[in-house]
Amino acid sequence: MQVQRRTQEERRETTRRALVAAARQQFAEHGFGATNTPTIAAEAGVTRGALYHHFADKQALFEAVVEEEHALLALAINAAAAGEDEPGPVRALIEGGDAYLAGMQDPGRRRILLIDAPAVIERDRLEAINARFGLRTLIEGVSAAVSAGAIRDLPVTPLAQLLDALFDRAALAEPQELADYRKAIKALIRGLKI
């Protein structure tokens, strides 16, 4: 029986994945400032040299974690918004928002995305990451709602950006306050109906 060897690219991707996973755990638990690269490398089971082969520095690794967290949230939002049989564009916005808030109940994710990322990553870079994921899904949802005549004909991108900020603020709420934020968000989105 011949053992199939992994390619260099597969080994590289395995190392990268291990580094991102270990970094995510450390950043979530300790925050950006209190996390160090030797601990990340040790947790990933690689050398510091391997870490620096894949990422220029701790900030580059943090950006990879932030990007992955945004991607995971976007998947959850898209699944929730498309989860019902023809939910309608307003319902899809509400369900997508609920999925975002549910995903942000992980304290580590909240720390990474809403506390550390704005302090660590240059604003333009962070906005570019958000534009590829969460904001993109909101723009698509708002655009679908406007196109369907389900909500007022407002400028799509500014409305999506305002909703994005609204969801981020709600995600920072204490767990016992979240139901009130959800209620307010639903009322605001429904208030956009024609």
Side-chain angles (χ1 to χ4, degrees), residues 89-90 93 139-154 156 159 194:
V90 173
L93 284 171
I139 289 171
E140 290 169 358
V142 169
S143 181
V146 168
S147 295
I151 64 172
R152 294 182 189 132
D153 188 8
L154 296 168
V156 170
L159 180 56
I194 294 178

Side-chain angles (χ1 to χ4, degrees), residues 12 15-16 19 37-42 44-57:
R12 202 172 314 161
T15 301
R16 187 181 189 291
L19 285 164
T37 56
T39 302
I40 293 170
V46 301
T47 65
R48 284 180 62 199
L51 185 151
Y52 290 116
H53 173 76
H54 290 275
F55 299 98
D57 54 20

Side-chain angles (χ1 to χ4, degrees), residues 14-176:
T14 298
T15 301
R16 187 181 189 291
R17 295 288 332 125
L19 285 164
V20 170
R24 195 271 183 211
Q25 178 186 353
Q26 292 298 311
F27 291 136
E29 189 172 328
H30 305 290
F32 181 83
T35 296
N36 61 61
T37 56
T39 302
I40 293 170
E43 289 291 319
V46 301
T47 65
R48 284 180 62 199
L51 185 151
Y52 290 116
H53 173 76
H54 290 275
F55 299 98
D57 54 20
K58 182 171 83 167
Q59 182 162 341
L61 182 52
F62 182 70
E63 285 186 27
V65 170
V66 167
E67 188 148 347
E68 182 170 279
E69 290 296 308
H70 272 282
L72 292 170
L73 275 170
L75 288 172
I77 291 165
N78 287 333
E84 295 184 24
D85 294 330
E86 308 222 14
V90 173
R91 187 86 183 132
L93 284 171
I94 292 169
E95 294 296 327
D98 280 345
Y100 173 79
L101 293 175
M104 291 302 286
Q105 292 313 292
D106 174 340
R109 178 176 280 161
R110 201 168 37 247
R111 171 186 247 168
I112 290 167
L113 295 182
L114 298 180
I115 297 169
D116 285 351
V120 172
I121 300 174
E122 184 180 301
R123 183 177 176 193
D124 291 344
R125 285 277 307 133
L126 189 56
E127 286 181 0
I129 292 169
N130 188 31
R132 285 195 303 277
F133 300 104
L135 183 58
R136 181 186 54 78
T137 61
L138 264 173
I139 289 171
E140 290 169 358
V142 169
S143 181
V146 168
S147 295
I151 64 172
R152 294 182 189 132
D153 188 8
L154 296 168
V156 170
T157 300
L159 180 56
Q161 289 172 330
L162 288 169
L163 289 172
D164 188 46
L166 179 76
F167 290 125
D168 282 353
R169 174 57 190 97
L172 288 169
E174 295 296 324
Q176 65 273 15

